[in-house]
Short mmCIF file of all heavy atoms in Angstrom, two decimals:
data_model
loop_
_atom_site.label_atom_id
_atom_site.label_comp_id
_atom_site.label_asym_id
_atom_site.label_seq_id
_atom_site.Cartn_x
_atom_site.Cartn_y
_atom_site.Cartn_z
N ASP A 130 101.27 91.90 83.34
CA ASP A 130 101.67 93.25 82.92
C ASP A 130 101.00 94.35 83.72
O ASP A 130 101.52 95.46 83.79
CB ASP A 130 101.34 93.45 81.43
CG ASP A 130 102.06 92.45 80.56
OD1 ASP A 130 103.25 92.17 80.83
OD2 ASP A 130 101.44 91.93 79.61
N ASP A 131 99.83 94.07 84.27
CA ASP A 131 99.06 95.08 84.99
C ASP A 131 98.24 94.36 86.07
O ASP A 131 97.85 93.21 85.90
CB ASP A 131 98.11 95.81 84.01
CG ASP A 131 97.43 96.99 84.65
OD1 ASP A 131 98.09 98.05 84.78
OD2 ASP A 131 96.26 96.86 85.04
N LYS A 132 98.00 95.07 87.16
CA LYS A 132 97.23 94.46 88.25
C LYS A 132 95.87 93.96 87.77
O LYS A 132 95.33 93.00 88.32
CB LYS A 132 97.04 95.45 89.39
CG LYS A 132 98.31 95.75 90.17
CD LYS A 132 98.01 96.74 91.27
CE LYS A 132 99.25 97.12 92.05
NZ LYS A 132 98.94 98.09 93.11
N SER A 133 95.32 94.60 86.76
CA SER A 133 94.01 94.19 86.26
C SER A 133 94.02 92.76 85.71
O SER A 133 92.97 92.14 85.58
CB SER A 133 93.51 95.16 85.19
OG SER A 133 94.37 95.20 84.08
N ASP A 134 95.20 92.22 85.42
CA ASP A 134 95.30 90.83 84.97
C ASP A 134 94.76 89.87 86.04
O ASP A 134 94.36 88.75 85.72
CB ASP A 134 96.75 90.45 84.67
CG ASP A 134 97.35 91.24 83.52
OD1 ASP A 134 96.59 91.78 82.69
OD2 ASP A 134 98.60 91.32 83.46
N ALA A 135 94.76 90.30 87.28
CA ALA A 135 94.32 89.44 88.39
C ALA A 135 92.81 89.49 88.62
O ALA A 135 92.27 88.65 89.34
CB ALA A 135 95.05 89.84 89.68
N PHE A 136 92.12 90.45 88.03
CA PHE A 136 90.70 90.61 88.30
C PHE A 136 89.89 89.43 87.76
O PHE A 136 89.99 89.11 86.58
CB PHE A 136 90.14 91.89 87.68
CG PHE A 136 90.74 93.16 88.20
CD1 PHE A 136 90.68 94.32 87.44
CD2 PHE A 136 91.35 93.23 89.44
CE1 PHE A 136 91.22 95.51 87.90
CE2 PHE A 136 91.90 94.41 89.91
CZ PHE A 136 91.83 95.55 89.13
N PRO A 137 89.06 88.83 88.59
CA PRO A 137 88.17 87.75 88.12
C PRO A 137 86.87 88.38 87.59
O PRO A 137 85.88 88.46 88.30
CB PRO A 137 87.94 86.94 89.39
CG PRO A 137 87.96 87.97 90.48
CD PRO A 137 88.96 89.00 90.03
N LEU A 138 86.89 88.84 86.37
CA LEU A 138 85.79 89.64 85.85
C LEU A 138 84.47 88.89 85.75
O LEU A 138 83.42 89.51 85.57
CB LEU A 138 86.19 90.22 84.49
CG LEU A 138 87.38 91.18 84.57
CD1 LEU A 138 87.91 91.50 83.17
CD2 LEU A 138 87.00 92.45 85.32
N ASP A 139 84.50 87.59 85.92
CA ASP A 139 83.27 86.79 85.90
C ASP A 139 82.75 86.46 87.30
O ASP A 139 81.82 85.69 87.45
CB ASP A 139 83.50 85.50 85.11
CG ASP A 139 84.59 84.63 85.73
OD1 ASP A 139 85.42 85.15 86.52
OD2 ASP A 139 84.61 83.42 85.45
N GLN A 140 83.37 87.07 88.32
CA GLN A 140 82.99 86.83 89.72
C GLN A 140 82.93 88.15 90.46
O GLN A 140 83.53 89.13 90.04
CB GLN A 140 84.05 85.95 90.41
CG GLN A 140 84.28 84.61 89.81
CD GLN A 140 85.47 83.93 90.48
OE1 GLN A 140 85.80 84.19 91.63
NE2 GLN A 140 86.13 83.06 89.74
N PRO A 141 82.23 88.16 91.60
CA PRO A 141 82.23 89.38 92.40
C PRO A 141 83.60 89.63 93.05
O PRO A 141 84.23 88.69 93.55
CB PRO A 141 81.15 89.14 93.46
CG PRO A 141 80.88 87.68 93.45
CD PRO A 141 81.37 87.13 92.16
N PHE A 142 84.05 90.87 92.99
CA PHE A 142 85.32 91.23 93.61
C PHE A 142 85.35 92.72 93.90
O PHE A 142 84.57 93.50 93.34
CB PHE A 142 86.52 90.85 92.72
CG PHE A 142 86.71 91.76 91.54
CD1 PHE A 142 87.59 92.84 91.60
CD2 PHE A 142 86.02 91.55 90.36
CE1 PHE A 142 87.78 93.68 90.52
CE2 PHE A 142 86.19 92.39 89.26
CZ PHE A 142 87.07 93.46 89.34
N PHE A 143 86.27 93.11 94.79
CA PHE A 143 86.53 94.51 95.10
C PHE A 143 88.04 94.70 95.12
O PHE A 143 88.80 93.76 95.36
CB PHE A 143 85.93 94.90 96.46
CG PHE A 143 84.44 94.73 96.48
CD1 PHE A 143 83.88 93.62 97.09
CD2 PHE A 143 83.61 95.65 95.87
CE1 PHE A 143 82.51 93.44 97.09
CE2 PHE A 143 82.24 95.47 95.86
CZ PHE A 143 81.69 94.36 96.48
N TRP A 144 88.47 95.94 94.86
CA TRP A 144 89.89 96.24 94.77
C TRP A 144 90.18 97.53 95.51
O TRP A 144 89.57 98.56 95.23
CB TRP A 144 90.28 96.35 93.30
CG TRP A 144 91.67 96.76 93.00
CD1 TRP A 144 92.81 96.37 93.65
CD2 TRP A 144 92.10 97.64 91.95
NE1 TRP A 144 93.92 96.96 93.08
CE2 TRP A 144 93.50 97.73 92.03
CE3 TRP A 144 91.42 98.34 90.96
CZ2 TRP A 144 94.24 98.51 91.15
CZ3 TRP A 144 92.16 99.11 90.08
CH2 TRP A 144 93.56 99.18 90.18
N LEU A 145 91.12 97.47 96.45
CA LEU A 145 91.55 98.64 97.22
C LEU A 145 92.93 99.06 96.71
O LEU A 145 93.87 98.27 96.75
CB LEU A 145 91.66 98.30 98.71
CG LEU A 145 90.49 97.60 99.38
CD1 LEU A 145 90.80 97.35 100.85
CD2 LEU A 145 89.22 98.41 99.21
N ASP A 146 93.04 100.29 96.26
CA ASP A 146 94.33 100.78 95.74
C ASP A 146 94.36 102.30 95.87
O ASP A 146 93.31 102.94 95.88
CB ASP A 146 94.50 100.37 94.28
CG ASP A 146 95.96 100.29 93.86
OD1 ASP A 146 96.70 101.29 94.03
OD2 ASP A 146 96.39 99.23 93.37
N ASP A 147 95.56 102.84 95.95
CA ASP A 147 95.71 104.29 96.04
C ASP A 147 96.10 104.92 94.71
O ASP A 147 95.93 106.12 94.52
CB ASP A 147 96.75 104.67 97.10
CG ASP A 147 98.16 104.24 96.71
OD1 ASP A 147 98.32 103.09 96.25
OD2 ASP A 147 99.10 105.03 96.89
N ASN A 148 96.63 104.11 93.80
CA ASN A 148 97.17 104.67 92.56
C ASN A 148 96.97 103.68 91.41
O ASN A 148 97.93 103.08 90.93
CB ASN A 148 98.65 105.00 92.76
CG ASN A 148 99.23 105.79 91.62
OD1 ASN A 148 98.51 106.46 90.89
ND2 ASN A 148 100.53 105.71 91.44
N PRO A 149 95.73 103.52 90.95
CA PRO A 149 95.47 102.54 89.89
C PRO A 149 96.05 103.00 88.56
O PRO A 149 96.13 104.20 88.29
CB PRO A 149 93.96 102.48 89.83
CG PRO A 149 93.52 103.84 90.26
CD PRO A 149 94.52 104.26 91.32
N THR A 150 96.44 102.06 87.75
CA THR A 150 96.91 102.39 86.40
C THR A 150 95.71 102.73 85.51
O THR A 150 94.58 102.33 85.78
CB THR A 150 97.66 101.20 85.77
OG1 THR A 150 96.75 100.11 85.63
CG2 THR A 150 98.87 100.81 86.60
#
Side-chain angles (χ1 to χ4, degrees):
D130 300 320
D131 188 78
K132 290 180 182 180
S133 62
D134 297 339
F136 298 158
L138 297 169
D139 61 339
Q140 300 173 27
F142 75 95
F143 299 101
W144 175 40
L145 310 180
D146 205 305
D147 67 315
N148 190 23
T150 63

